[in-house]
């Protein structure tokens, strides 16, 4: 049905769908003197409501707190308070109590961020070992919580192997994190991993920066085709990915070339990649560069901030320019040769 049940009936049945869960949340907030009302919304790809009355686009109910102009989704078990998934961002709502139209906030690159720090070492035989720290905020957080909740039993090995393989890495690894069911805690996790050689050492040779056991959204753009010319409005969301890599090479090789750093910014689409080479500070007491291991430092930041979660025909040009810059950077390789 389309009418929520009474709170007493929901509690007695121990069952409820999205509109029932919103009804319970409204009842709880009302008991604390906090004004709230259920908000009907589309959880999909409908960003407009029909001019004539029709229930068709409405398929989900969330909750609105007018004092803070805040939406919460009590059905999304992995969304923290005030966190909305991309599926209900920048969507028109029909507020049940006040009987008026409203809209959920659009996605934001400042809030929807995936940050990672990856530290890796390459042994003399080319085997890569390392650890990573990942922090996720905003609309991406619920999907990461859901993913990590599956980290149990036999899946513990399978998840690491498949995540590494997604970026052409053969290896094993482990995850460590606080309980993901506690929504008061941020989504932060650590990984350790070991990856089979990706190229020959001591070379000479060339290697792309490995992704490690961490999200690889920027790397996945390597094989993404440009968007075709759009004839109709299309979904475009705002987000940011920030990646910091530290790759220590074995002492028996020297880096002979690094890719050029790059900066791009146009129409809310930006990308920055900086490369730097330094000698390993832990190799104290050695003044000969050939006796020191070298460390490649790479920082990448990709941000997309659009005025709305719905772009217009022609807006795909800015994304395609960004994609071209990112792919050119991803083709760059670290060149090395034996000492």
């Amino acid at each position: 049905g389309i009418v929520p049940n009474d709170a007493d009936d929901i509690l007695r049945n121990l069952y409820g769908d999205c509109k029932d869960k919103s009804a319970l949340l409204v009842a709880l907030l009302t008991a604390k003197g906090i004004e709230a009302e259920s908000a009907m919304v589309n959880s999909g790809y409908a960003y407009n409501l029909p001019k004539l009355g029709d229930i068709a686009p409405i398929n989900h109910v969330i909750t609105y707190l007018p004092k803070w102009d805040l939406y919460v989704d009590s059905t999304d078990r992995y969304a923290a308070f005030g966190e909305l998934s991309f599926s209900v961002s920048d969507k028109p709502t029909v507020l049940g109590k006040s009987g008026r139209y409203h809209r959920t906030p659009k996605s934001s690159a400042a809030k929807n961020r995936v940050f990672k720090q990856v530290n890796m070492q390459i042994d003399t035989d080319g085997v890569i070992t390392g650890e990573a720290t990942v922090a996720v905020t905003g609309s991406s957080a619920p999907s990461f919580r859901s993913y990590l909740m599956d980290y149990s039993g036999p899946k513990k090995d399978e998840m690491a192997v498949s995540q590494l393989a997604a970026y052409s890495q053969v290896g094993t690894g482990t995850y460590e994190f606080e309980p993901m069911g506690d929504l008061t805690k941020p989504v932060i996790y650590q990984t350790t991993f070991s990856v089979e050689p990706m190229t020959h050492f001591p070379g000479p040779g060339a290697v792309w920066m490995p992704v490690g056991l961490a999200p690889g959204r920027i790397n996945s753009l390597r094989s993404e085709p440009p968007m075709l010319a759009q004839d109709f409005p299309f979904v475009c969301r705002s987000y940011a990915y920030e990646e910091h890599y530290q790759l220590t090479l074995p002492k028996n090789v020297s880096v002979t070339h690094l890719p050029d750093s790059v900066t791009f910014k146009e129409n809310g689409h930006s990308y920055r990649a900086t490369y730097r080479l330094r000698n390993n500070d832990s190799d104290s007491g050695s003044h000969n560069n050939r006796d020191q291991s070298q460390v490649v430092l790479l920082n990448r930041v990709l941000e997309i901030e659009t005025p709305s979660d719905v772009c217009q025909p022609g807006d795909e040009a800015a994304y395609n320019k960004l994609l071209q810059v990112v792919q050119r950077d991803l083709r760059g390789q670290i060149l090395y040769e034996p000492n």
Side-chain angles (χ1 to χ4, degrees):
I2 59 175
V3 179
N5 292 290
D6 293 333
D8 289 342
D9 293 337
I10 301 169
L11 293 174
R12 184 178 63 252
N13 294 334
L14 299 179
Y15 172 84
D17 59 10
C18 60
K19 59 184 178 293
D20 292 329
K21 291 183 177 181
S22 179
L24 283 182
L25 180 57
V26 170
L28 288 168
L29 292 169
T30 302
K32 288 292 184 179
I34 300 172
E35 183 183 358
E37 57 183 316
S38 293
M40 294 174 282
V41 68
N42 171 265
S43 177
Y45 293 97
Y47 286 82
N48 294 292
L49 295 176
K51 294 181 180 180
L52 298 177
D54 190 350
I55 195 63
I58 301 297
N59 60 6
H60 190 42
V61 177
I62 57 179
T63 308
Y64 179 60
L65 285 68
K67 182 177 180 180
W68 297 278
D69 192 24
L70 178 70
Y71 283 93
V72 296
D73 189 346
S74 53
T75 305
D76 191 341
R77 64 179 296 189
Y78 298 118
F81 189 82
E83 225 171 43
L84 292 180
S85 67
F86 283 120
S87 64
V88 291
S89 297
D90 201 10
K91 294 289 185 67
T93 61
V94 181
L95 302 179
K97 182 179 178 181
S98 58
R100 62 189 179 95
Y101 294 112
H102 203 246
R103 198 172 190 93
T104 59
K106 80 173 198 71
S107 58
S108 162
K111 295 180 179 179
N112 303 322
R113 301 187 71 88
V114 177
F115 170 93
K116 73 176 187 179
Q117 172 71 53
V118 186
N119 299 330
M120 295 173 282
Q121 307 81 37
I122 302 180
D123 203 351
T124 54
D125 59 0
V127 172
I128 303 169
T129 56
E131 57 278 331
T133 298
V134 180
V136 186
T137 59
S139 297
S140 299
S143 62
F144 276 84
R145 287 187 190 274
S146 176
Y147 173 76
L148 293 172
M149 286 289 284
D150 287 337
Y151 188 64
S152 62
K155 288 187 177 181
K156 284 190 172 184
D157 293 332
E158 297 171 6
M159 286 173 59
V161 170
S162 61
Q163 175 72 8
L164 289 167
Y167 303 105
S168 302
Q169 303 168 123
V170 178
T172 59
T174 59
Y175 295 82
E176 292 184 12
F177 49 88
E178 295 292 326
M180 283 293 133
D182 185 352
L183 301 184
T184 64
K185 296 184 181 297
V187 179
I188 299 175
Y189 65 94
Q190 291 80 35
T191 69
T192 57
F193 55 89
S194 176
V195 176
E196 293 299 308
M198 299 176 63
T199 183
H200 296 299
F201 274 86
V207 63
W208 287 321
M209 180 63 73
V211 174
L213 186 54
R217 169 58 181 159
I218 294 178
N219 192 276
S220 68
L221 297 179
R222 185 186 303 276
S223 57
E224 182 172 313
M227 290 183 63
L228 299 176
Q230 302 295 302
D231 296 322
F232 301 97
F234 59 95
V235 177
C236 57
R237 292 159 178 158
S238 300
Y239 55 83
Y241 290 89
E242 184 173 350
E243 303 180 348
H244 299 270
Y245 295 97
Q246 180 173 298
L247 179 65
T248 302
L249 283 81
K251 292 182 180 181
N252 62 336
V253 305
S254 294
V255 174
T256 59
H257 173 78
L258 290 179
D260 294 330
S261 296
V262 60
T263 300
F264 171 84
K265 189 172 185 178
E266 185 174 316
N267 293 336
H269 295 64
S270 66
Y271 180 71
R272 183 177 71 254
T274 58
Y275 296 82
R276 188 162 60 91
L277 183 66
R278 68 170 171 79
N279 291 327
N280 193 350
D281 296 335
S282 65
D283 296 331
S284 58
S286 174
H287 301 285
N288 186 344
N289 288 345
R290 290 186 177 274
D291 292 333
Q292 293 181 314
S293 57
Q294 293 181 303
V295 183
V296 178
L297 303 173
L298 166 59
N299 299 327
R300 287 177 173 145
V301 181
L302 183 151
E303 290 190 359
I304 295 179
E305 186 68 63
T306 57
S308 165
D309 283 12
V310 179
C311 288
Q312 302 301 315
D315 290 343
E316 69 275 5
Y319 179 79
N320 285 340
K321 285 185 179 180
L322 171 72
L323 182 64
Q324 187 176 35
V325 171
V326 174
Q327 289 179 338
R328 180 178 178 84
D329 174 55
L330 292 173
R331 288 195 295 268
Q333 292 181 299
I334 303 164
L335 306 185
Y336 62 90
E337 62 181 19
N339 288 332

